[in-house]
Amino acid sequence: WYLLLNNSVSTMNSAVHSFRFDELIKYVDDHQEEYVQTLREWVAVESDSSDVTKRAELYRMMDMVGEKLRKMGGKVELVDIGEEQLPDGSSLALPKVVTAQFGSDVNKPTVCVYGHVDVQPAQKEDGWATEPYNLTEINGNLYGRGASDNKAPVLAWIHAVEAFKALDMDLPVNVKYLIEGMEETGSNGLDAMIKSQKSTFFSDVDYIIISDCGWLSKRPALTYGTRGNCYFFAEVEGPKQDLHSGVYGGTVIEPMTDLIGILDTLISPSGTILIPGIRDAVAPFSDEEWKMYQDIEFDVESYREKIGVEQLMYNNKVELLAHRWRHPTVSIHGINGAFSAPGTKTVIPAKVTGKFSIRQVPDMDPAVVEKQVTDHLHSVFAKRKSPNKLKVKMIIGAKPWLADIKHSLYEAGKAAVKRVFNVDADMIREGGTIPIARTFQDVTEKSIIMLPIGGFDDGLHSQNEKMSR
Amino acid sequence: WYLLLNNSVSTMNSAVHSFRFDELIKYVDDHQEEYVQTLREWVAVESDSSDVTKRAELYRMMDMVGEKLRKMGGKVELVDIGEEQLPDGSSLALPKVVTAQFGSDVNKPTVCVYGHVDVQPAQKEDGWATEPYNLTEINGNLYGRGASDNKAPVLAWIHAVEAFKALDMDLPVNVKYLIEGMEETGSNGLDAMIKSQKSTFFSDVDYIIISDCGWLSKRPALTYGTRGNCYFFAEVEGPKQDLHSGVYGGTVIEPMTDLIGILDTLISPSGTILIPGIRDAVAPFSDEEWKMYQDIEFDVESYREKIGVEQLMYNNKVELLAHRWRHPTVSIHGINGAFSAPGTKTVIPAKVTGKFSIRQVPDMDPAVVEKQVTDHLHSVFAKRKSPNKLKVKMIIGAKPWLADIKHSLYEAGKAAVKRVFNVDADMIREGGTIPIARTFQDVTEKSIIMLPIGGFDDGLHSQNEKMSR
């Protein structure tokens, strides 16, 4: 993987080091076991950022990252990003962000690699075949929590520089690292840190690389877009308190009936968004895009089987991918305040909050979406003539991100994939939101490439997460 | 209150004891403090049947009831009704049911009083002004958990017999008691016990009295009907597991969208049930009923204020009461399987179960309702052409209960209320379901009267429950 760095850089920099390419290859092959061992040590740290009782492990993880980079001769800092407030009112220090720098030659471009070393929760009882924090190799796959998301990709970029250093080869670019420990719970504190270091750490950064994503199939891929996310709360409030449905049912217009009624106006049975105006802003699907989608390696039938549904929303590859990546969609996630447990409680909930989100795509504007959704819901609610009260609020308004795939960064990425795998990279998007990409773009105004290292079947956030050796 | 027993009986029995009426009155007045003291002792027992850690208190409560009745010279039994299975797989003995008998004169009718001495949970921190298990008198009200529901009413019926005994007056009827300790959690074990004692304990019972309900206003009332309850689960199942709404949104027809869509076809914004056929079986609202409803003391505006809504479903007293008591209604209680917590989880739930209930009234038949609801939901679901799977199941099918208010039992009740309060009793119904009434009626085939002793503002199941002195 370090070849990608070398290669992508080589297309931007006339000082091509290809004469020592074979030497690098050999070095990596000779040290593969060491790389796996380092990954094993990192996976053994239960750096679960969602569990405050494991915070000491997370601090230790950040120290290990700093130590690793320091040993390689980097200029390392552990940046204090403050505290988080816990629900009980107490506060807890956030894990420091590790920054590192290798080289400061003003004649070279500077590449910054972003990654994270915190992980999702994992317990063997959840259905793991192996101990989640004990990296275990089975048939060439390395199983362990965080193996693919995102510890191995971070180590791949670190070991790339390490190989250059070990061979005493001049790095063709200046390399910086920004490694955080709160990604899985929303990168708490990172936005502020990026903003505050805009004119210091980021001042000489030209390019940002993110490998916190995955391939779409067995073919290597480059990711050039993510969808945004407008997350809404629609609250309907009626009686002062929950009422017994036997005693009071039939005398009040129930908030739950109103909420169900307005949620039912968001999306048609076949999946068309019914909110007036929402689709008007969506960038037209060009012939060029159609052709590109057509070339992507993606098996609709396997996808259907993996999800386990009888039929997908679209059966055609291009339409399916387009609705996954570059068309908006509405998902209703649930209702807060109503009875949600098993059993048969007979209550009329007094206040219920419907939660739904719209995955946003270029050229939709969250502020416009907020107005369209709010106006629509108030309009359909008004027609019900309900005595209850409706409040609509957009809780998250994360913008989509889209890169120019003709930018030299993507040309370098394509060339690197071609060189290593001898196939053309699939140019893909993510249906989900990676807010950090958008923050990097908005704050630093640098170009970003997402270069996935994880496989399509790595099981991120699931049981039996793995990284192929 | 013992006068009600005396009085109701006197109208059925030629042996009127009215010549000693004043003596009974005096006895009760002289012993009022003792009655309150006994209630204080009973309230002090935390007989919360929903909390298994308090089961010893519940056993002690049943022993106290048995002891009290034994001291009065009754023939008392503590009937073993078996065990309950706890969620962890262990089992726990149910509190025994206390039965007692006073008199077995074949020339007298036999009255059986049903009541319960278990209570709802209560903690001072919930918002009680006083310690919930320390009966506290403020302005003539006795505050404490279980004071009104149902310990004081049970004691009222016990003290009625005690007064006759103390004065060595012949009881005009044979009196039986059936006091249970699991009412608040669904009378676990009681149905089987009633069935098994049909030809023993119940064989000579002529009338059953239940005082586990409340007045509608400040005017005394007799209750002659309750609604039934058909409780449904509608489960929509799609993908094999929950999906990330960013990664998969736009490619699958979401079970939650389907469920919201079908739930929205149950009831109109103004409260009309939309399920075809449901309303056909409802007994017509007669002129006689209309007149009776018109005479009931009930202030619509106070009711509206108490619930805290801007407008009720009906503003007219008769219509409002009719829809509370004798028309069916649909309440949607909630959804199991979707995201219900605070926060902003971005998940597409794979399987969601909507929970709703229909309060049933005469002459609806639960089996017919089950078919109508199931057919309707499958029909609207089929029109959606969804690849997901729908299952509809009726979990509870509790029948309504309705007494003949011209029966001698109600005539006796009316006369008793008139004699004690010098007003005509309001003839009322309960919107909720009291399954035990239906069980008594179906199993024992005896006549039942519900004679509420609790006030309209006693706060059953709430903070600051009380019983007026």
Side-chain angles (χ1 to χ4, degrees), chain A residues 55-64 92-96:
Chain A
R55 190 54 58 90
E57 284 286 274
L58 195 46
Y59 298 153
R60 186 160 74 88
M61 187 71 238
M62 304 320 295
D63 287 340
M64 284 168 68
L92 185 63
L94 291 163
K96 292 191 170 61

Side-chain angles (χ1 to χ4, degrees), chain B residues 213-238:
Chain B
C213 44
W215 296 356
L216 181 66
S217 67
K218 289 181 181 166
R219 197 200 279 187
L222 297 175
T223 307
Y224 67 96
T226 66
R227 291 195 290 191
N229 190 15
C230 291
Y231 202 109
F232 287 88
F233 284 7
E235 173 198 291
V236 181
E237 183 169 13

Side-chain angles (χ1 to χ4, degrees), chain B residues 81-155:
Chain B
I81 55 166
E83 301 183 325
E84 67 176 317
Q85 297 300 314
L86 301 183
D88 69 1
S90 66
S91 57
L92 186 63
L94 290 163
K96 292 191 169 60
V97 170
V98 179
T99 62
Q101 182 173 355
F102 294 84
S104 56
D105 184 340
V106 291
N107 296 315
K108 291 178 183 172
T110 300
V111 171
C112 174
V113 175
Y114 161 83
H116 68 90
V117 288
D118 60 317
V119 299
Q120 286 276 321
Q123 292 193 302
K124 183 141 200 304
E125 302 79 71
D126 297 341
W128 283 73
T130 61
E131 286 294 338
Y133 294 105
N134 180 12
L135 192 77
T136 308
E137 182 163 4
I138 302 171
N139 294 333
N141 284 318
L142 303 162
Y143 290 90
R145 172 53 87 221
S148 180
D149 183 14
N150 184 221
K151 288 177 175 176
V154 166
L155 276 174

